Amino acid sequence: MIARILDLLYPALCELCQKTLKNGQALCPSCSLKLPRIQEPFCKNCGEMFEGNINDDFHCPNCLGSTHDFHFARAALKGNGSTFHLVHQLKYRRRFFLAPDLALLMDEAMEEDPRFAELAAHSDPPILVSVPLHWKRQQSRQGNQADELARAIAKIRDLPYLKALKRSRATQTQTKLNRKRRLSNLRGAFQIRHKALPQLRGRNIILIDDVFTTGATAHECTRILKHEGKASKVAILSLLRG
Ligand SMILES: [Zn+2]
Ligand SMILES: [Zn+2]
């Protein structure tokens, strides 16, 4: 609690250029503007950006031969030195005060992508759900970066945020595994929280994560949300397309 209060009070400098900031920001406007946004053309399935024109015949090499349960995946930013630094600070250095500024960039991606508005056209608003960490990992990191981002987006967008998933099994670190190995590593790793079950049925979900890489985590969470939670469509929104 004290650490969190200090986190809120401490950020007087821009995380990227060290310029002094006011108004509780963590990034100065000029650094924020320079972060590389994901822009058209990008794969409508996995969110990866491509050069040139993409027409109906386009097949994304990342998505070729793999099936995803999710409706679509969209990320706000491309990977570069600055964006990887920010994610690292948020994820491993417990710099959660970055979350509201980073959530604004995710909000920007939602705003310009009509598919999010389509999800919201449902009679009930979409529910924000974050990718959970195993409790042991969450304890050692003293929080979960995806929760922080989801809570911040819920505030900006006035959308419901639900702690719907739990990680029932600690998994091996995914970074060095390919998609197939990741999927088998994740099988059975997630469960629906009992309390959340009645609220999920028939609802559209926006699953929030910090980084989207192969889509294995997003796929597995979607599978559980749909099969156990009886959720309707699940879209993925991440900060970074890694
Ligand atoms: Zn700056
Ligand atoms: Zn793709």
Side-chain angles (χ1 to χ4, degrees), residues 43 45-48 50 60 62-63 241:
C43 169
N45 190 22
C46 73
E48 176 82 340
F50 290 94
C60 165
N62 307 305
C63 294
R241 182 68 175 88

Side-chain angles (χ1 to χ4, degrees), residues 76-210:
L77 303 172
K78 285 196 285 185
N80 77 357
S82 301
T83 56
F84 282 124
H85 170 79
L86 291 170
V87 166
H88 187 88
Q89 295 300 309
L90 182 72
K91 198 166 176 163
Y92 302 110
R93 306 294 301 274
R94 217 176 47 80
R95 292 170 86 80
F96 295 135
F97 58 77
L98 291 169
D101 280 21
L102 297 174
L104 280 174
L105 299 162
M106 295 166 85
D107 172 60
E108 209 179 284
M110 280 178 86
E111 192 59 46
E112 69 176 36
D113 194 321
R115 294 174 298 175
F116 286 102
E118 282 161 27
L119 281 182
H122 198 268
S123 58
D124 293 310
I127 299 176
L128 299 175
V129 170
S130 47
V131 173
L133 292 174
H134 188 257
W135 67 269
K136 272 189 195 157
R137 190 164 289 172
Q138 178 145 350
Q139 207 170 46
S140 71
R141 288 194 195 160
Q142 299 179 40
N144 173 2
Q145 67 282 357
D147 289 352
E148 302 292 329
L149 292 170
R151 264 198 290 265
I153 297 168
K155 219 168 162 184
I156 299 167
R157 289 253 150 189
D158 195 21
L159 285 175
Y161 162 64
L162 184 65
K163 266 187 157 337
L165 292 168
K166 64 176 176 185
R167 206 154 188 146
S168 39
R169 186 164 61 75
T171 47
Q172 197 188 333
T173 307
Q174 301 264 87
T175 32
K176 293 206 170 67
L177 304 177
N178 64 22
R179 185 167 190 276
K180 207 174 156 202
R181 305 274 307 266
R182 284 183 186 215
L183 279 172
S184 61
N185 184 37
L186 286 170
R187 199 80 185 175
F190 299 100
Q191 279 180 335
I192 302 284
R193 286 179 185 273
H194 275 297
K195 267 194 199 159
L197 206 52
Q199 297 171 68
L200 290 172
R201 182 177 284 271
R203 295 289 291 267
N204 287 337
I205 307 291
I206 300 173
L207 182 73
I208 306 293
D209 205 359
D210 50 344

Side-chain angles (χ1 to χ4, degrees), residues 26 54 72 192 195 214 232:
I54 289 183
F72 64 87
I192 302 284
K195 267 194 199 159
T214 64
S232 183

Side-chain angles (χ1 to χ4, degrees), residues 13-21 26-32 34:
L13 303 176
C14 170
E15 185 63 35
L16 292 172
C17 73
Q18 315 303 315
K19 203 164 89 182
T20 311
L21 294 173
L27 288 173
C28 76
S30 128
C31 284
S32 183
K34 268 189 248 159

